[in-house]
Every structure is written in C-alpha cells, then in structure tokens.
Amino acid sequence: MRAYYFFYSFFYFIKLAFKRKHYNIIFYAPHHFNRGNNSENIFFKDLLDLCKTHNLSFLYLEEPDVYSNQKRSKIAIPFDFIYYLTVFFRKFMKSKISYIDDDKKIGGFMKKIFFKNITFDNYITISQSMLSFFNGVNSDAKRFDLQHGTIHAKKKSYLYNGIVSSNLKENDVTLLLRGNAFKDILIKNDTSNYFLDHIKVIGISNFNNVIPSKLNKNVLVSLQFTHDHSFDENKEIAENLEIHIKKESSFHFYLKSHPRFNNEINLSRFLSLPNVSLFSEDLKDSFDKCSFHLTSYSSVTFEASLHGIPTCFLQLDPIKMSIFNTQYNYPFYNYLLSDLYNNYSFCSLKAQKWAKEFYQPFCEASFLKSLKNA
C-alpha cells in the first residue's frame, strides 16, 4: 500500500510541474493526525469546511508516517514522493548553520522543478512539519502552525526558558491556538515578545457540555505509550498505572491507546486484571460511558473537562509530566479517584469552567482575518 501512495504522489507532482495553479492555502500534516471517522483529520476539519464555504482555494498535502497505524486520508494528496526525496537530500546536506537552513535550500531546489508553476498565499501545518521546506518554496507566504495538543512554557518546540523555538522564529510562524489561556502562558513567558504579534486564537469546534446523566465508577484511561518517550519513561508510566489500577479496585478502567501507539508497552499486563478493559471506540463515546478520566498528561483532559468529567493524574516526573499542575493549574491535580467521586458535582462543574479558559468556540472571523490575501 505504501508503494501505491508513493507512485500516486510521484505522478501527481510530475503533472503539477507543468500545471499553473494558485492556492489561497496549502494545508500540510503527517497522516497520524487522521483520527476521526473515515480517516478524517479532525484538526483540519473546521478550516477545510470554512474554505469550502468561503470559496478559498486550497491544496491539502499529507506526509507519510511509518510509525503510525492510522489510515491515510481520502481527500488529501500524498506527499510521499517529495517527502522521501527531501529526507534523501537531508542526508547529504549537513549545514554548519542549522537543519532549518538545509530544508530551506531543499525547498528552493524543489521549487525550480515541482513547484515552479504553483503559488500560494498561506501555509498551515500541524506539529511544525516542513515549515522550513515550504519557506524555501515560497518565502512570501504566511506560515502558520495549528495547535494539536498541549502547548506551554517548557515545551522546547515552542518555548523554553523564555526563548522561542528557532523553527518558529526563523520561519516567522504564527500560531493558531484553541484558547486565550494558552496564549497568555506563552506571552507571559516569552522574553523576546515574539508571540505578542505571532498568535491568533481561533478556537475549536464546540463540544457539547454534557455532564454524565448517571454517576458511575467507569474511568477512561488516556494512555501515552509512544516512541516519543524513552523506554524508561514508558516503563515508569506503566508501573505507576498498574499500581493505581490495583489500588482503586472498586473502579473499572477503560484503556484507550494513544493514536501513535506502536506496542511500546505490552497491554496484557493491564488487561489480565479483572477491572480493566480495552476501549477502541471513538473518544466522544467514552464520555458517555465514563464519569472519570485518568492520564499522565494527555490533552484529553481538556475535552473530558468540557464534558464535565474530572481527571485524576498519575504522579510522575515533576518536570516533564506534571504540566497540568505547573503550567495549567488544574484545580484537582492531586486528587485521588475516590476524592473526585465523593465531590463529583463540585469537581465536574469546576473542571468544566477551567477548561473553557483553554478551549474557546471556533471563530471563523478570527481565522479569516489572520490569513494573507483572504
């Protein structure tokens, strides 16, 4: 199947080299973000729908991810050929300046062959993918990074010790954020004031603020076993979770794997326990089933809170995995499940109020205003 996407991409970009076309926006994302129904990229959904409504021309490109089990998008153009060609060139271009300079040069080279007849005003990516490459293709385009998870003052890809990531700064990137609380954290901790005019809060599609109709002892567990963590970090999370499940034996735990889970931890150690099940349905379905949420530091905490579902946190590395305490001031960070159960109505309402500072409703006007030539 990988060969299919590679050759589809190859012939598409060969054809594109001879076809003059202008786009208002190029969307770009790795395919592991296809987490919705029918392999839909739920992060781009609002923006793609808006483009169709306002007749904004766009090209949606999808980057392959060999570590992901997610299916490929049915509407995106595979970027496989250009992506692997870029990876090949990177091996021979070891700039004394930075990888950013390398990717700009590669983008400039690709422009002469595959993008010479393609122009675009805006480039929007997720997880900062190929920012420098497309800066090299078109330095006049406005570049954006769309928020997909947690962003805070200690996240090196955004901000660390008051210094903005070079990938953002050198590519003159504007962040598209979900809520004002994220914006306030970045601006407050940015010593260069870069984010003062490089952030746009556009919100996210409204969640139905529904408190579970009947209190139960079902717990959604947002697992975070991925290759992003070291072996020891995944092991620490697993050991802590197992202790927690055994200690809270009156609760039933429904494990939901991270979208990029690739068997970093054998889940049978948990599934052998009588109060544990695997949950493979859509995330929103879990909010109807469970009254509680348990995680190390998953952004699902925000979605759960918007539904009035409070979160219990595994107590892990205080620097790397305690951001909901140190950065987001979650109101019940040190609560046990039994504490949340005994004060459920109060915790539910307060968690919902807390989340609304981080997630605002999607604002079309804010997004359109941020675009170049829209």
Side-chain angles (χ1 to χ4, degrees):
M1 200 64 179
R2 290 178 184 173
Y4 166 80
Y5 289 109
F6 180 86
F7 285 108
Y8 182 101
S9 177
F10 172 78
F11 287 113
Y12 179 87
F13 283 100
I14 291 295
K15 181 180 177 181
L16 200 65
F18 300 96
K19 184 178 179 181
R20 189 172 296 278
K21 183 71 175 178
H22 175 78
Y23 296 99
N24 294 115
I25 307 172
I26 285 184
F27 291 95
Y28 185 93
H31 90 266
H32 60 244
F33 289 111
N34 299 341
R35 302 172 187 177
N37 295 329
N38 298 315
S39 306
E40 183 180 42
N41 185 323
I42 57 176
F43 302 98
F44 275 159
K45 184 180 187 308
D46 291 335
L47 308 187
L48 295 175
D49 288 345
L50 185 149
C51 286
K52 295 171 186 176
T53 301
H54 291 269
N55 294 317
L56 296 176
S57 58
F58 66 88
L59 177 63
Y60 175 15
L61 302 173
E62 183 175 80
E63 176 183 302
D65 182 352
V66 295
Y67 296 104
S68 176
N69 294 319
Q70 300 291 86
K71 293 181 180 179
R72 299 296 293 263
S73 169
K74 295 179 180 179
I75 63 172
I77 301 299
F79 200 66
D80 300 48
F81 170 63
I82 303 295
Y83 175 75
Y84 288 121
L85 194 57
T86 299
V87 172
F88 175 78
F89 284 138
R90 284 172 179 168
K91 295 182 181 297
F92 298 96
M93 294 184 65
K94 297 184 178 180
S95 171
K96 295 181 179 179
I97 303 176
S98 70
Y99 72 94
I100 296 174
D101 187 60
D102 287 345
D103 270 16
K104 285 181 182 179
K105 290 178 180 178
I106 295 171
F109 172 75
M110 296 283 199
K111 176 182 179 179
K112 298 176 182 178
I113 304 174
F114 301 106
F115 293 91
K116 61 182 178 180
N117 290 317
I118 300 301
T119 56
F120 54 96
D121 298 318
N122 303 276
Y123 171 70
I124 302 177
T125 188
I126 304 177
S127 71
Q128 302 181 28
S129 299
M130 302 293 273
L131 282 170
S132 301
F133 174 91
F134 278 98
N135 190 354
V137 172
N138 182 4
S139 60
D140 293 326
K142 191 171 183 180
R143 286 166 294 281
F144 299 89
D145 182 66
L146 178 66
Q147 181 181 359
H148 70 282
T150 58
I151 293 179
H152 51 83
K154 293 290 184 180
K155 194 162 187 173
K156 292 182 178 179
S157 56
Y158 290 90
L159 183 71
Y160 194 76
N161 289 336
I163 300 174
V164 178
S165 159
S166 57
N167 196 33
L168 295 177
K169 204 164 187 177
E170 292 184 34
N171 287 304
D172 195 26
V173 177
T174 296
L175 301 183
L176 300 175
L177 301 185
R178 295 175 177 177
N180 289 317
F182 291 113
K183 175 183 178 180
D184 293 342
I185 289 172
L186 292 178
I187 289 178
K188 180 181 177 181
N189 291 278
D190 173 16
T191 57
S192 66
N193 294 323
Y194 174 83
F195 287 125
L196 279 175
D197 56 1
H198 284 82
I199 286 180
K200 200 72 175 177
V201 175
I202 64 170
I204 191 170
S205 286
N206 265 326
F207 289 86
N208 295 321
N209 297 324
V210 179
I211 296 176
S213 58
K214 185 177 180 181
L215 176 61
N216 58 54
K217 284 197 166 184
N218 294 336
V219 183
L220 168 67
V221 183
S222 298
L223 299 177
Q224 289 184 281
F225 302 129
T226 70
H227 70 276
D228 294 340
H229 296 133
S230 66
F231 172 81
D232 288 339
E233 287 172 333
N234 279 321
K235 182 181 177 182
E236 181 188 6
I237 295 173
E239 290 174 348
N240 197 298
L241 176 60
E242 188 172 358
I243 291 171
H244 205 99
I245 291 173
K246 290 178 178 178
K247 183 178 179 180
E248 300 279 13
S249 58
S250 66
F251 290 84
H252 194 92
F253 297 83
Y254 291 88
L255 308 185
K256 185 165 180 59
S257 293
H258 191 279
R260 288 184 284 112
F261 175 63
N262 196 24
N263 300 311
E264 285 81 4
I265 291 290
N266 189 341
L267 298 184
S268 61
R269 66 185 293 177
F270 307 112
L271 297 175
S272 63
L273 301 173
N275 60 330
V276 177
S277 302
L278 197 62
F279 189 86
S280 57
E281 299 170 45
D282 187 78
L283 179 62
K284 290 184 179 180
D285 294 330
S286 71
F287 297 146
D288 294 327
K289 189 180 189 71
C290 302
S291 293
F292 301 92
H293 175 234
L294 174 67
T295 189
S296 47
Y297 61 104
S298 171
S299 61
V300 173
T301 300
F302 295 109
E303 287 105 326
S305 295
L306 286 168
H307 283 77
I309 298 173
T311 295
C312 178
F313 290 90
L314 301 176
Q315 303 300 309
L316 300 164
D317 183 329
I319 297 176
K320 184 174 182 178
M321 301 185 189
S322 61
I323 58 172
F324 278 89
N325 183 35
T326 61
Q327 297 285 317
Y328 302 145
N329 298 315
Y330 186 77
F332 315 112
Y333 185 79
N334 293 310
Y335 276 42
L336 301 175
L337 282 171
S338 55
D339 297 327
L340 296 174
Y341 183 84
N342 293 330
N343 300 277
Y344 192 76
S345 180
F346 170 75
C347 293
S348 176
L349 291 172
K350 191 165 184 179
Q352 195 173 77
K353 182 180 179 181
W354 167 85
K356 288 180 179 179
E357 296 297 316
F358 290 89
Y359 278 33
Q360 268 85 54
F362 179 62
C363 179
E364 286 191 7
S366 181
F367 173 66
L368 291 172
K369 188 177 179 180
S370 67
L371 297 176
K372 178 181 178 181
N373 299 330

